[in-house]
Amino acid sequence: MGISVLPEEIANQIAAGEVIENPAAVIKELIENGIDAGATSITIILENSGLKTITVKDNGEGMVEEDLLKAPQRHATSKITCFNDLYSISTMGFRGEALASIFSVAKTTITTKPPHYTSGIQISSESPDSISSVGSSQGTSISVENLFYNTPARKKYLKSDTMELRSIMQIIKRFQISYPQIEFKVTHNNSLLVHKPSFSTRAENLEYVLGKEIRGKLLEINYETKGISITGHIANPTEISYSYKKNQYFFVNGRYITSNVLIDALYHGIGSNLMVGKHPSFVIFITIDPEIIDVNVHPTKTQIRFENEQEIFEVISSAIDSVFSSKPLFREFDTKLEVESSEKPILEKNEGSSYFTNDFQKHFEVEEDTISYEQTPTSSPSPNTQSQSLSLGPLSEELYEYKILGQLDKTYILVETTTGLLLVDQHVAEEKYFYEKMLYDKNNNQVKQQQLLKPYMIPLDNSEMLQFRENKEILINMGFEVEEFGEQEILVRAVPITLGYKTNHPDRLKEMLYSILSNKTIKCVEDEHHAKIASIACRSAIMAGDELSYPQMKRIVENLKYLQKPFQCPHGRPTFLKYDFKELQKKFKRIV
Ligand code: ADP
Ligand code: MG
């Protein structure tokens, strides 16, 4: 068989197969070129999902004759000149093959006008060597007609028109997100699909592109370490999250990318701030020295390789974590409550009931900690000394001085601070404390046990017994002393001291163990171990509906000070709501 060098045209068609898979890929390349040319406005005009025509018009720097002739040649690029340039690439394109590929698979026309030209110049794929003069505004307009007309095999692989249009719109949305300052306009079969104005801030831009839903719910990310900068926004997961992945965007050095390392790091960083089975929305921009990422991985360039995955994982997850541990996720004053209460004051509702009677007040007379362990071993520290081993968290300042006003609806603890009123959910607050405390003790190898005077016998069925065997390690690590007793029972000899006073009742303990052994793990917490701790914490915390004594309330509020992430429980429910005095004054029109 004779060897022959492929004609240029066929070589280009083969290369096009890699770069230009569908209309969306053409649009991506053309928009990138417009961005590289410094455009502030890009218009995309489509017919029949881009299969009939695609026109991308920008107001960038344009091209002079010499460049216009070179642009559609393979490996013609103004962006790199030697191999080492590949490692410091900051423009979108650099391979110099997009235009060559597009020219080879569609009838293509480029019209361009640099700012100092009085009229435009044009070439087309039909006669790529001859330039004609045409009227044009500043910038470049590239029209692509009858895509894949000469490569029917490729055309066969296209999806339905609606699917192709959807891919196009996805690609365009990424650009709209990452280039707030650029105006984007998209029309399809003469109807306007998108007209995004230019915005000076990313937040405004996002609120526009992602829609009303996220308005006012964005938390800002701003983090820098080890030459890596992480900026962007995450929608407050207490206010907005989805049961599927929606609006999740990572950009690395301006380029949209997908990466499991980044996704894993993000969920790790959010941790228990996200509700079970839910997914957050976010747009995150990562800027890294191009020398430590490999951008030249895949022709369509959405996959990326990091030289040091562990490091990038840690950086991203700390960046996200810092959003939640630094800012209180205080909810806004509920306007519905405002309306209702102005018609029917809450306190009036309770007038005449025994709610604020002496009976309740008596609780306040009980001095300090009266909670007793039914079987208190001599070595057992009081709950307050337990929490002192944890360091103070973000709420400690708010709670530096406070007064417990009472309990509301046997569910909320009312706490007056120097700046407002906190409504603390008694169950969530205690649950979160147990969760953090157990984790802390575990991580610091200081899990303490409380021996039971008499071991509890707990009957298990076959599948529960299997679960028990699987989880025995974890239970022991957390401070339980448990063992199998025959085929169908387990024996509990000791429990974690953090939960001590909660687990003294056999029924409580049984219920807690059942819930740990059942498969209901909490998906949003980082790993199985955390999930088990979360379910123990939930099961052992005071329930809504339990009437609390003053010392019990005091202990719950005291413990809040030591929470590192006090704003939500592991399931993502808020621990407390805050009503600022300022806000109240405004609502009562005392101030404007
Ligand atoms: P690359 O972008 O990888 O360099 P392309 O084939 O996309 O390769 O483009 C080749 C060259 O043509 C670019 O390097 C640039 O100099 C020029 N070019 C392409 N599109 C435009 C445009 N819209 N405005 C100005 N110059 C452009
Ligand atoms: Mg390009």
Side-chain angles (χ1 to χ4, degrees):
M1 211 194 296
I3 295 180
S4 61
V5 174
L6 288 176
E8 177 78 9
E9 197 188 323
I10 295 178
N12 281 341
Q13 283 175 359
I14 293 169
E18 273 184 50
V19 187
I20 307 297
E21 283 186 310
N22 51 20
V26 174
I27 289 160
K28 172 176 174 284
E29 293 294 337
L30 298 180
I31 293 177
E32 287 184 353
N33 283 350
I35 293 168
D36 286 346
T40 57
S41 172
I42 296 178
T43 301
I44 299 124
I45 300 160
L46 305 166
E47 277 182 86
N48 295 1
S49 303
L51 290 165
K52 192 158 176 241
T53 53
I54 296 169
T55 302
V56 176
K57 190 173 162 27
D58 65 61
N59 63 352
E61 65 184 8
M63 282 174 271
V64 298
E65 281 86 349
E66 196 194 342
D67 290 340
L68 180 58
L69 288 171
K70 276 193 223 149
Q73 287 171 26
R74 191 131 172 249
H75 306 305
T77 176
S78 53
K79 297 160 196 170
I80 55 172
T81 52
C82 68
F83 188 78
N84 280 345
D85 286 355
L86 263 181
Y87 292 94
S88 52
I89 210 79
S90 61
T91 51
M92 291 301 228
F94 57 85
R95 292 162 169 257
E97 55 190 19
L99 287 184
S101 301
I102 296 168
F103 260 56
S104 75
V105 293
K107 179 174 180 276
T108 311
T109 310
I110 308 180
T111 311
T112 187
K113 184 179 103 58
H116 56 285
Y117 278 35
T118 49
S119 71
I121 49 177
Q122 189 174 70
I123 59 165
S124 84
S125 55
E126 286 167 335
S127 52
D129 303 321
S130 69
I131 292 184
S132 53
S133 170
V134 289
S136 166
S137 51
Q138 191 207 309
T140 303
S141 168
I142 301 184
S143 289
V144 179
E145 285 171 58
N146 297 330
L147 189 61
F148 304 130
Y149 74 102
N150 56 354
T151 51
R154 175 140 300 275
K155 198 163 184 176
K156 263 208 330 242
Y157 284 100
L158 290 174
K159 307 204 177 81
S160 70
D161 283 16
T162 3
M163 295 279 276
E164 293 296 344
L165 186 62
R166 201 178 302 160
S167 319
I168 293 172
M169 297 315 285
Q170 263 169 16
I171 297 265
I172 295 175
K173 189 170 171 189
R174 293 173 197 163
F175 287 110
Q176 291 185 71
I177 291 169
S178 54
Y179 292 91
Q181 71 286 3
I182 298 183
E183 174 190 29
F184 282 97
K185 221 165 146 175
V186 185
T187 60
H188 180 244
N189 295 343
N190 287 324
S191 64
L192 183 70
L193 298 186
V194 169
H195 187 181
K196 183 193 86 70
S198 154
F199 288 102
S200 54
T201 68
R202 274 182 186 164
E204 283 174 293
N205 189 63
L206 273 193
E207 293 191 341
Y208 188 88
V209 179
L210 303 186
K212 264 218 297 276
E213 222 179 352
I214 58 129
R215 222 158 276 178
K217 295 174 184 150
L218 293 176
L219 304 173
E220 200 180 336
I221 306 164
N222 214 327
Y223 191 84
E224 188 159 2
T225 182
K226 300 177 189 166
I228 304 173
S229 125
I230 291 129
T231 57
H233 292 87
I234 179 160
N236 186 342
T238 63
E239 299 185 304
I240 193 162
S241 64
Y242 302 95
S243 51
Y244 55 101
K245 294 186 171 183
K246 181 178 175 184
N247 289 331
Q248 301 197 333
Y249 294 91
F250 280 112
F251 295 88
V252 173
N253 295 352
R255 200 184 296 272
Y256 171 81
I257 60 108
T258 50
S259 151
N260 290 336
V261 179
L262 294 184
I263 283 280
D264 291 349
L266 180 119
Y267 279 81
H268 188 263
I270 295 182
S272 61
N273 292 301
L274 187 68
M275 190 122 57
V276 189
K278 292 295 177 102
H279 298 278
S281 291
F282 57 85
V283 172
I284 292 173
F285 299 91
I286 302 168
T287 313
I288 320 182
D289 184 340
E291 305 205 356
I292 61 168
I293 50 169
D294 184 350
V295 284
N296 198 10
V297 174
H298 189 271
T300 58
K301 292 172 272 177
T302 70
Q303 281 159 21
I304 201 158
R305 209 159 46 211
F306 295 100
E307 217 143 77
N308 188 343
E309 291 200 341
Q310 187 57 34
E311 182 174 326
I312 195 89
F313 181 95
E314 276 157 23
V315 172
I316 300 294
S317 106
S318 323
I320 300 302
D321 186 82
S322 73
V323 173
F324 296 105
S325 31
S326 66
K327 266 189 218 108
L329 302 185
F330 290 138
R331 302 209 154 190
E332 271 185 33
F333 200 96
D334 188 343
T335 44
K336 263 193 249 134
L337 179 67
E338 186 199 4
V339 174
E340 273 172 25
S341 60
S342 63
E343 288 161 1
K344 193 167 51 158
I346 289 169
L347 287 182
E348 203 177 278
K349 199 170 69 183
N350 290 313
E351 255 174 23
S353 77
S354 63
Y355 213 74
F356 285 96
T357 60
N358 293 336
D359 214 356
F360 179 79
Q361 294 297 337
K362 255 189 222 151
H363 291 306
F364 290 81
E365 288 151 23
V366 186
E367 262 313 308
E368 247 323 294
D369 206 337
T370 54
I371 306 157
S372 58
Y373 293 84
E374 272 163 31
Q375 297 115 347
T376 310
T378 44
S379 63
S380 155
S382 79
N384 280 337
T385 51
Q386 278 178 52
S387 60
Q388 266 143 30
S389 58
L390 297 168
S391 52
L392 289 169
L395 270 190
S396 56
E397 222 177 282
E398 174 87 14
L399 291 172
Y400 182 66
E401 255 189 274
Y402 65 87
K403 193 161 93 194
I404 293 177
L405 303 177
Q407 194 190 20
L408 182 69
D409 204 21
K410 293 184 184 163
T411 303
Y412 311 106
I413 305 168
L414 299 173
V415 185
E416 183 182 342
T417 72
T418 52
T419 56
L421 173 72
L422 299 184
L423 271 169
V424 177
D425 185 315
Q426 63 194 42
H427 169 71
V428 176
E430 194 172 56
E431 171 183 13
K432 192 58 189 276
Y433 173 74
F434 286 161
Y435 177 70
E436 285 200 11
K437 172 73 173 138
M438 283 192 284
L439 266 184
Y440 178 88
D441 287 348
K442 165 82 190 28
N443 293 337
N444 292 285
N445 294 319
Q446 56 168 46
V447 176
K448 291 198 195 91
Q449 286 186 331
Q450 180 181 342
Q451 294 293 326
L452 303 176
L453 287 183
K454 199 171 123 246
Y456 291 140
M457 198 88 94
I458 298 182
L460 298 181
D461 68 23
N462 292 349
S463 70
E464 285 165 342
M465 189 56 99
L466 289 175
Q467 294 277 9
F468 169 73
R469 288 179 191 140
E470 266 182 50
N471 287 288
K472 197 174 162 195
E473 247 336 78
I474 292 178
L475 289 170
I476 290 170
N477 280 340
M478 287 187 311
F480 286 94
E481 195 182 312
V482 275
E483 60 188 86
E484 270 178 63
F485 190 74
E487 295 285 313
Q488 300 194 307
E489 277 175 305
I490 56 168
L491 213 54
V492 184
R493 295 183 187 280
V495 295
I497 202 156
T498 307
L499 307 177
Y501 71 100
K502 305 298 307 184
T503 45
N504 288 321
H505 198 279
D507 286 345
R508 256 300 185 30
L509 184 59
K510 205 157 79 186
E511 199 206 323
M512 188 164 83
L513 281 166
Y514 285 147
S515 90
I516 301 166
L517 297 182
S518 77
N519 277 326
K520 277 181 269 141
T521 49
I522 297 173
K523 290 203 188 67
C524 63
V525 290
E526 290 96 319
D527 59 34
E528 245 227 306
H529 190 108
H530 289 200
K532 294 293 175 198
I533 294 186
S535 78
I536 295 182
C538 182
R539 289 300 151 170
S540 33
I542 280 172
M543 291 295 154
D546 287 357
E547 197 170 334
L548 301 184
S549 65
Y550 178 75
Q552 280 176 306
M553 291 191 276
K554 175 97 192 286
R555 179 175 41 76
I556 291 172
V557 175
E558 273 301 299
N559 286 341
L560 279 178
K561 290 186 187 172
Y562 295 91
L563 294 183
Q564 302 306 303
K565 292 183 183 173
F567 308 109
Q568 283 162 307
C569 79
H571 306 71
R573 275 158 48 193
T575 317
F576 60 89
L577 302 179
K578 182 179 177 182
Y579 301 97
D580 251 299
F581 288 147
K582 274 242 177 63
E583 205 53 57
L584 290 175
Q585 283 176 324
K586 267 195 220 151
K587 303 277 169 191
F588 285 108
K589 312 256 181 279
R590 292 179 169 277
I591 54 167
V592 274

